[in-house]
């Protein structure tokens, strides 16, 4: 029996493991760059192996840690939203962003309606629970969708596929919130005559969306002025510290949540407004690099825990019915609603198919479900977590294995060589730009 003094301190083991994780964050994307394999898949596999070790007693099930799950996923999403907004080179405009409005105004509502109907019918859920699932699973994830998003700021012309998926992921997380609140309200008034429609439309839709957009724009303008337009010796840009991007993220989210409006929406609008203050300044690239590094590190930790949850019983309530519905959502609902949203849109057939297919479900879905379940009494919470878990797992596998060959094919069709020495691929979760 070894002396207890020779046993490693758990704190030292944690430090060592965190160091290894940081090294993997930096190196794995380069190793996976040309392989039909994504970093999230590797992270989940590592997490499953880690939490399968016989001496590790921790079971990272979201149902056991509801508040931690909500807050951690919330943090990862807001960091990803700032990064997505800073990356967009295309100037905001109704016609220039036509693909975005189609995906938001047609594809997402149709997706929510279809998923709610399928889960209410196939799983026998109440309408409130089915709507919560639908609102959680309808948005394209800004974290795990980074492989199909645009490159760093000022990286060149944005094709319609990458721009559409980036802008959709940036805005639909905030615009799905009214439907999450609708599910919470329906659960609260079930069996009563308490009115809810006026409050939902007036407060949850008009006020929280309008105030979120307005507050995000004002905060972005304020940071833009402090960074680029105050007297030269006091400009924030002179610090060359990319942590200003993190500051803008937290200030925007915090202030907008204080006045009870949608912080997700505000953070993305803040990034767009901040970028507009001096679109060509190199400081945007520095801020993007810092936010991307924080995002990837937090994302890897989250996916390690997700892998641990999978081997700890997250999918125990899942039957073949849930698996079939999960595949139906990914392979039928999103592609069909995406195609309907893009009907009449002037784009190449391959681009339309790619836009319709890559509705990646991930961290945002986990956050919305945690948010909803923490505010409504749902008897089948374990079953809901199992269903969302299997949808996210299937999405990561399906889209992770297909993203590299499909996006490389898109690049070649657009006249770009993804293997050229001077190519600048979108960094996303594949690593830094070349």
């Amino acid at each position: 029996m070894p002396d207890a003094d020779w046993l490693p301190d758990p704190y030292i083991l944690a430090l060592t493991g965190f160091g290894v994780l940081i090294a993997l964050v930096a190196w794995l994307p380069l190793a996976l760059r040309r392989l039909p394999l994504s970093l999230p898949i590797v992270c989940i596999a590592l997490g499953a192996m880690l939490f399968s070790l016989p001496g590790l007693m921790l079971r990272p099930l979201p149902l056991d840690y509801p508040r931690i799950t909500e807050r951690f996923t919330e943090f990862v999403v807001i960091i990803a939203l700032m990064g997505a907004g800073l990356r967009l080179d295309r100037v905001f405009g109704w016609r220039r962003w036509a693909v975005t409005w189609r995906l938001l105004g047609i594809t997402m509502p149709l997706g929510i309606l279809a998923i709610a109907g399928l889960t209410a019918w196939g799983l026998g859920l109440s309408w409130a629970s089915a709507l919560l699932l639908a609102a959680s699973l309808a948005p394209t994830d800004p974290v795990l969708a980074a492989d199909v998003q645009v490159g760093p700021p000022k990286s060149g012309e944005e094709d319609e596929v990458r721009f559409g998926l980036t802008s959709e992921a940036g805005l639909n997380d905030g615009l799905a919130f009214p439907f999450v609140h609708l599910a919470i309200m329906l659960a609260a008034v079930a069996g009563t005559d308490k009115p809810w429609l006026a409050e939902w439309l007036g407060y949850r839709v008009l006020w929280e969306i309008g105030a979120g957009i307005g507050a995000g724009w004002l905060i972005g303008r304020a940071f833009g002025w402090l960074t680029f337009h105050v007297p030269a010796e006091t400009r924030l840009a002179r610090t060359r510290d990319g942590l200003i991007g993190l500051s803008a993220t937290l200030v925007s989210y915090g202030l907008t949540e204080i006045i009870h409006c949608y912080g997700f929406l505000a953070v993305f609008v803040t990034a767009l407004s901040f970028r507009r203050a001096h679109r060509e300044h190199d400081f945007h690239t520095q801020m993007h690099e810092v936010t991307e590094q924080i995002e990837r590190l937090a994302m890897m930790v989250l996916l390690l825990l997700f892998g641990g949850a999978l081997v700890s019983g997250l999918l125990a309530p899942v039957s073949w019915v849930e698996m079939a519905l999960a595949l139906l959502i990914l392979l039928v609902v999103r592609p069909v609603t995406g195609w309907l949203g893009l009907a009449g849109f002037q784009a190449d057939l391959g681009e339309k198919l790619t836009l319709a297919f890559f509705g990646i479900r991930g961290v945002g879905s986990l956050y919305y479900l945690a948010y909803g379940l923490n505010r409504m009494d749902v008897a089948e919470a374990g079953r809901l977590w199992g269903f969302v878990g299997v949808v996210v797992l299937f999405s990561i596998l399906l889209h992770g294995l297909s993203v590299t060959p499909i996006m490389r094919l898109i690049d070649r069709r657009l006249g770009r060589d993804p293997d050229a020495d001077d190519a600048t691929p979108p960094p996303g979760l594949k690593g830094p730009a070349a």
Side-chain angles (χ1 to χ4, degrees):
M1 188 76 174
D3 193 311
D5 291 338
W6 289 95
L7 294 176
D9 188 322
Y11 172 72
I12 299 300
L13 283 177
L15 285 181
T16 306
F18 195 61
V20 172
L21 179 65
I22 293 173
L24 289 174
V25 167
W27 173 75
L28 269 177
L30 298 177
L32 299 174
R33 181 176 172 183
R34 290 181 173 84
L35 297 177
L37 192 67
S38 70
L39 181 57
I41 295 176
V42 176
C43 292
I44 291 173
L46 289 174
M49 290 188 291
L50 175 64
F51 286 93
S52 295
L53 295 175
L56 195 60
M57 304 302 295
L58 177 65
R59 289 161 47 87
L61 291 169
L63 201 57
D64 295 341
Y65 305 95
R67 292 296 176 185
I68 294 175
T69 301
E70 179 186 336
R71 292 308 185 190
F72 188 30
T73 52
E74 176 183 48
F75 174 76
V76 179
V77 171
I78 63 174
I79 294 297
L81 290 172
M82 175 59 69
L86 290 175
R87 283 198 293 269
L88 287 171
D89 289 334
R90 187 177 301 190
V91 177
F92 181 85
W94 291 107
R95 295 189 66 180
R96 286 186 290 265
W97 285 50
V99 63
T100 313
W101 312 135
R102 287 170 170 270
L103 292 172
L104 294 175
I106 302 174
T107 297
M108 190 177 73
L110 288 177
I112 290 175
L113 184 63
I115 296 172
L118 282 172
T119 52
W121 166 74
L123 302 181
L125 300 176
S126 66
W127 279 110
S129 295
L131 182 58
L132 176 61
L133 274 184
S136 301
L137 293 172
T140 296
D141 188 63
V143 182
L144 301 184
D147 276 346
V148 291
Q149 294 182 1
V150 299
K154 300 164 50 180
S155 60
E157 188 69 24
E158 296 170 343
D159 60 72
E160 212 62 50
V161 171
R162 290 188 172 97
F163 170 78
L165 292 171
T166 305
S167 55
E168 179 199 11
L171 286 170
N172 68 3
D173 267 296
L175 295 178
F177 237 130
F179 298 98
V180 175
H181 281 297
L182 180 57
I184 296 171
M185 295 180 73
L186 290 178
V189 303
T192 71
D193 294 329
K194 184 179 178 181
W196 55 269
L197 182 59
E199 179 186 348
W200 180 71
L201 284 175
Y203 181 63
R204 297 300 183 183
V205 177
L206 297 178
W207 162 254
E208 297 209 36
I209 290 178
I213 293 173
W217 181 80
L218 288 173
I219 294 168
R221 287 293 300 270
F223 268 92
W225 181 75
L226 291 171
T227 304
F228 304 116
H229 300 302
V230 296
E233 64 274 10
T234 57
R235 289 178 186 171
L236 291 176
R238 287 177 61 86
T239 66
R240 299 185 181 277
D241 193 337
L243 283 172
I244 297 299
L246 178 61
S247 170
T249 304
L250 301 180
V251 169
S252 177
Y253 191 75
L255 289 180
T256 50
E257 287 292 318
I258 287 172
I259 63 171
H260 300 287
C261 57
Y262 294 133
F264 283 0
L265 195 56
V267 168
F268 185 70
V269 174
T270 293
L272 296 179
S273 181
F274 198 170
R275 181 75 195 278
R276 183 177 179 272
H278 195 324
R279 188 167 297 279
E280 300 304 318
H281 202 287
D282 290 337
F283 191 59
H284 292 297
T285 303
Q286 294 169 314
M287 289 191 294
H288 172 262
E289 288 173 352
V290 171
T291 57
E292 186 198 15
Q293 289 170 345
I294 296 172
E295 174 194 344
R296 280 195 287 139
L297 185 59
M299 180 275 302
M300 287 192 71
V301 172
L302 181 61
L303 290 182
L304 287 175
L305 294 172
F306 181 65
L310 292 177
V311 298
S312 298
L314 178 65
L315 303 186
V318 173
S319 68
W320 67 268
V321 176
E322 281 86 355
M323 292 185 183
L325 286 176
L327 290 174
L328 192 63
I329 290 170
L330 296 173
L331 297 176
V332 178
V333 172
R334 165 63 192 203
V336 169
T337 57
W339 184 259
L340 290 174
L342 296 170
F345 181 67
Q346 297 300 313
D348 178 81
L349 176 62
E351 292 178 321
K352 283 187 178 182
L353 291 173
T354 305
L355 280 163
F357 175 69
F358 277 112
I360 300 174
R361 276 58 181 147
V363 181
S365 298
L366 302 177
Y367 167 75
Y368 277 129
L369 184 61
Y371 181 93
L373 292 178
N374 286 341
R375 288 159 179 81
M376 54 191 284
D377 186 17
V378 179
E380 62 268 25
R383 193 180 185 195
L384 298 188
W385 271 117
F387 184 68
V388 169
V390 78
V391 173
V392 171
L393 176 62
F394 284 175
S395 178
I396 290 173
L397 293 174
L398 175 66
H399 297 118
L401 293 173
S402 60
V403 61
T404 299
I406 290 177
M407 297 311 292
R408 286 165 68 84
L409 179 61
I410 290 287
D411 283 338
R412 289 194 177 96
R413 292 185 64 177
L414 294 174
R416 295 193 293 259
D417 181 5
D419 297 318
D421 292 336
D422 60 348
T424 306
L429 304 183
K430 294 291 188 187

